[in-house]
Amino acid sequence: MSYKKWVFVAIFLCGVGLVFGLSTPTSFARLMSEDITALEELVEFLASLPSGVTVIFIFIKNASALLLSFIFSPILCLPPILALTVNGWLLAFISVLVSQEKSLGFVLAGLLPHGVFELPALIMGEAAALSFGAVAILALFKKERRSLLLPSLKLNLRYLMIAVALLMPAAIVETYVTPLLLT
């Protein structure tokens, strides 16, 4: 399957997560109150750091998530599938909670500036992980497919590196622009 088709699969999986996030009852947030508190503490901690350190932290966190998903994608493609659906679910669920507390405009101001870079990076990186993982799985079971493994790795690493590169402007915008829009 071509990389372009894997991009559509990644978009679909993220969309599935978004639908689940939008349909999750907000009362579920009570069960996640400790997680939400931990997330708020992380945001406060990041705000206390020098901006350059925050950019590096956000970039490393996001890049390592993509890289680990790619590395472990041959395990039934579960890491990229989970990354796409869980990120979609979290994005939608948290957006609903915040829009009820603040407004939809507040949510959009908080997401759109860096999301323009981060969401395509997620889709591109996870599509590369899905593509490579599928080829690796097929290579385990079909001897004639083993010759496709190295070319697939090289091609998908290129897409992965583009995705990782997009995470840097996302981290910069998230650190410097997003806080200005949310005050």
Side-chain angles (χ1 to χ4, degrees):
M1 187 157 45
S2 72
Y3 175 76
K4 186 177 180 181
K5 290 180 183 172
W6 285 113
V7 169
F8 288 116
V9 170
I11 291 169
F12 172 77
L13 290 169
C14 191
V16 167
L18 286 167
V19 168
F20 280 121
L22 291 172
S23 60
T24 301
T26 54
S27 60
F28 185 72
R30 281 187 235 118
L31 298 173
M32 296 179 49
S33 63
E34 289 180 24
D35 296 326
I36 292 171
T37 302
L39 185 61
E40 290 169 345
E41 290 172 1
L42 176 63
V43 169
E44 289 174 19
F45 171 72
L46 289 175
S48 71
L49 295 174
S51 298
V53 174
T54 302
V55 169
I56 292 167
F57 176 83
I58 291 170
F59 173 76
I60 290 173
K61 180 191 74 64
N62 290 335
S64 63
L66 268 184
L67 292 171
L68 287 171
S69 183
F70 186 87
I71 290 167
F72 292 109
S73 65
I75 304 172
L76 303 175
C77 289
L78 288 176
I81 291 169
L82 287 172
L84 288 161
T85 54
V86 170
N87 275 294
W89 177 80
L90 272 172
L91 177 64
F93 183 68
I94 299 298
S95 293
V96 167
L97 291 177
V98 172
S99 67
Q100 288 175 348
E101 190 175 306
K102 301 277 187 177
S103 70
L104 180 59
F106 186 84
V107 170
L108 293 175
L111 291 177
L112 287 179
H114 72 279
V116 168
F117 299 103
E118 197 169 325
L119 192 57
L122 174 71
I123 298 295
M124 285 179 66
E126 297 301 349
L130 286 167
S131 176
F132 174 67
V135 169
I137 292 167
L138 287 173
L140 284 173
F141 297 105
K142 295 186 178 183
K143 208 173 199 176
E144 64 274 5
R145 295 285 191 150
R146 291 184 184 152
S147 64
L148 301 175
L149 193 56
L150 187 58
S152 173
L153 176 64
K154 289 178 180 179
L155 176 66
N156 288 304
L157 277 175
R158 286 187 197 127
Y159 290 120
L160 181 65
M161 291 304 108
I162 293 168
V164 169
L166 282 173
L167 292 174
M168 183 51 78
I172 292 168
V173 171
E174 189 172 356
T175 301
Y176 292 104
V177 177
T178 301
L180 296 174
L181 297 173
L182 297 180
T183 55

